[in-house]
Amino acid sequence: MRRALVLTDETARHPFRASLPPHIRADAEPEPPRSRWALNASDVRGFATTYFATLAAMLALIF
């Protein structure tokens, strides 16, 4: 049986995927990178909730 000199694939970019044989990773398509600046409604709602909760807490401490 012939064994590879290097048992990992550095292009897999993850330790688990690097340990997999190439024929298992062959059908996996790389997903396109997401933009880090993409905002959705949940992000805006979370920011607004945090802002107003902090504002209410600060006003309660002041008055």
Side-chain angles (χ1 to χ4, degrees):
M1 180 167 88
R2 184 173 179 178
R3 298 187 61 144
L5 181 62
V6 178
L7 297 178
T8 61
D9 182 11
E10 289 81 15
T11 61
R13 302 185 127 201
H14 191 274
F16 175 73
R17 290 190 64 195
S19 66
L20 293 175
H23 68 277
I24 293 178
R25 287 188 304 105
D27 61 341
E29 298 177 4
E31 63 181 49
R34 285 185 17 177
S35 174
R36 292 180 183 235
W37 294 102
L39 291 176
N40 56 23
S42 176
D43 294 334
V44 174
R45 188 180 315 122
F47 174 78
T49 303
T50 304
Y51 178 79
F52 287 117
T54 305
L55 180 66
M58 294 305 294
L59 288 176
L61 288 174
I62 291 173
F63 295 116

